Amino acid sequence: MSLYKKLQKFSEKENIISGVGSADSFTELKEYLKNREVPFVSYGIEERTEPALTMTNVKSIVSIGMSYNTIYTKIRDNSIRGNISAGAVGTDYHILIKDKLEKLRTEILPEYEVKIFSDTGPLSDRDVALRCGLGSRSKNGGILNKKIGGMFFIGYMLTNVEYSLWQAEKAETVNCGECEKCIKACPNSAINNGICDYNKCISYLTQKKGALTFEEYNKIGRQIYGCDVCQRACPYNSSYTVIESEYAYPDIKKLLKMSNKEFKKVYGNTAAGWRGKKTLQRNALAVLGNMKCIEALPLISEFINNENEELKSAAIYAINKIKES
C-alpha cells in the first residue's frame, strides 16, 4: 500500500480530509504578499514562501482539514447573550489539529522527520491546502472542499519524504460558478474578488487588539468572537451537525463580571480565549450597545471610568448607541 493510500485510510478513520503536495517554493505568492498586509502574521515574505527555510531537508508537505460545521442551538432563558463563531466553541482547534498530525506521524511516518504546524507556522495554511488538493479557492477567500464544504480547520506538516514516494492522486475540485451568496451575505461588504478586506471583516475586528472606532464597534453586530455569516451562506456548508451549547452564546453579564481565574477556566482552552479577557469583554460591551439593551445601562456604566482604554471606549460607544434609540 502506498503512503498516500495509508494517509487516506488514516483520514477516513479520523474523520478528516488530507492531501500531499510538493515542497517547492510558493513563488506565485511573493508578489501578492508584497502588496498586502496580513493580520496576525509576523513572518517575512521569504519565510512564508520558502518551505526549506523552515525545514532544510523538506521534500513534501502533508495538509489535513477538520470540519467545524456545527450549528449550536440557542439557550432559551432571560439572559442577554452574544454570539461566538462555531470554530471557536469547544477545545482550541490548534490543539485538535496538532493532535491529529502527531497521530498521523506516529502511525504513518514514524521513521521520517517532520515539523507540525496549525495556524502558527510560516507558510500560508490555505495555500498549502490548495497545493495539497484539499479544495479550491472559494469566493470568500477560503478553501472549498467537495466533501465537507468550506468550514474546516487546516494544519500541515513538512516532511523529508520524497514527493514521488507518496504516489499522490489528484483530488476532485469544486467551483463556485456563478454563486455569490457569501459575497451578498457579508453585512459589511468585506468580500471582493476572492479577497476578504479584513478591516471590514467581523471576525478580524473581534480579534483586533486595543480600542476600536465607533464605526468598527458597530460593524461587529452581536459577535463577541469570530463570524460565520459568509460560510453559512455557502450551499456547500448546508450539511451540518446540531449541538446544544451555552458557550456559543455567552451570557454577557457573566462575561463582564468574570475574574481572570473564571475566564481561564471557561475560555482558556478555546480558540476564543487567545486574545484574552479584556478583548472579549470589550466586544461584549459593544454588543450590548448594538442590541440597544437599555436594561444593561447600569452594568455598562461601571466601565465608563475603567483604566483599560478598550473597555472604556466600548462602554462609551454602547451608552451612546443605546441613547440613540
Side-chain angles (χ1 to χ4, degrees), residues 65-118:
M66 181 187 301
S67 176
Y68 64 90
N69 192 357
T70 302
I71 294 286
Y72 292 98
T73 55
K74 292 186 177 181
I75 304 299
R76 298 185 180 279
D77 60 15
N78 295 321
S79 301
I80 304 171
R81 297 181 180 273
N83 302 330
I84 284 185
S85 167
V89 178
T91 304
D92 189 344
Y93 68 90
H94 298 88
I95 298 171
L96 298 176
I97 286 288
K98 284 186 176 180
D99 285 348
K100 292 290 185 185
L101 288 169
E102 287 288 357
K103 192 172 183 180
L104 190 159
R105 177 192 64 81
T106 300
E107 294 189 18
I108 298 178
L109 304 172
E111 70 272 33
Y112 292 98
E113 182 181 344
V114 306
K115 282 193 174 183
I116 290 172
F117 301 97
S118 175

Side-chain angles (χ1 to χ4, degrees), residues 119-149:
D119 198 34
T120 55
L123 302 178
S124 162
D125 290 42
R126 290 178 177 178
D127 287 286
V128 167
L130 282 173
R131 176 177 290 185
C132 293
L134 262 61
S136 309
R137 184 77 72 179
S138 58
K139 288 187 178 179
N140 69 353
I143 307 298
L144 194 58
N145 178 274
K146 187 171 184 179
K147 181 181 178 182
I148 65 171

Side-chain angles (χ1 to χ4, degrees), residues 109-292:
L109 304 172
E111 70 272 33
Y112 292 98
E113 182 181 344
V114 306
K115 282 193 174 183
I116 290 172
F117 301 97
S118 175
D119 198 34
T120 55
L123 302 178
S124 162
D125 290 42
R126 290 178 177 178
D127 287 286
V128 167
L130 282 173
R131 176 177 290 185
C132 293
L134 262 61
S136 309
R137 184 77 72 179
S138 58
K139 288 187 178 179
N140 69 353
I143 307 298
L144 194 58
N145 178 274
K146 187 171 184 179
K147 181 181 178 182
I148 65 171
M151 298 179 72
F152 60 91
F153 304 125
I154 300 171
Y156 65 88
M157 62 165 62
L158 304 181
T159 83
N160 65 340
V161 182
E162 290 287 349
Y163 179 56
S164 60
L165 292 178
W166 287 100
Q167 299 177 39
E169 299 172 8
K170 190 174 181 180
E172 186 178 4
T173 59
V174 294
N175 193 297
C176 294
E178 297 299 315
C179 180
E180 294 187 340
K181 290 184 177 180
C182 62
I183 297 173
K184 294 174 181 177
C186 179
N188 297 331
S189 301
I191 307 168
N192 183 34
N193 294 325
I195 297 174
C196 180
D197 182 348
Y198 63 85
N199 289 305
K200 297 179 181 179
C201 176
I202 293 173
S203 184
Y204 167 72
L205 292 175
T206 61
Q207 299 174 64
K208 184 179 178 181
K209 275 291 189 181
L212 304 183
T213 66
F214 278 20
E215 182 182 2
E216 288 173 329
Y217 284 132
N218 187 60
K219 284 182 183 297
I220 70 173
R222 297 190 177 191
Q223 294 299 126
I224 289 176
Y225 185 91
C227 180
D228 297 321
V229 172
C230 66
Q231 294 283 24
R232 288 293 173 216
C234 178
Y236 281 98
N237 292 327
S238 59
S239 296
Y240 48 79
T241 303
V242 179
I243 299 176
E244 183 174 333
S245 172
E246 64 175 307
Y247 298 111
Y249 305 97
D251 182 322
I252 291 180
K253 290 183 178 180
K254 286 184 179 180
L255 176 57
L256 289 175
K257 291 181 176 295
M258 272 187 179
S259 64
N260 290 334
K261 184 177 180 180
E262 289 171 328
F263 183 84
K264 187 175 181 180
K265 181 180 179 181
V266 176
Y267 295 101
N269 208 33
T270 72
W274 84 287
R275 273 310 202 189
K277 184 180 74 169
K278 292 293 190 294
T279 299
L280 292 194
Q281 289 181 327
R282 175 203 69 188
N283 298 339
L285 286 165
V287 168
L288 289 176
N290 292 335
M291 293 174 69
K292 306 292 182 70

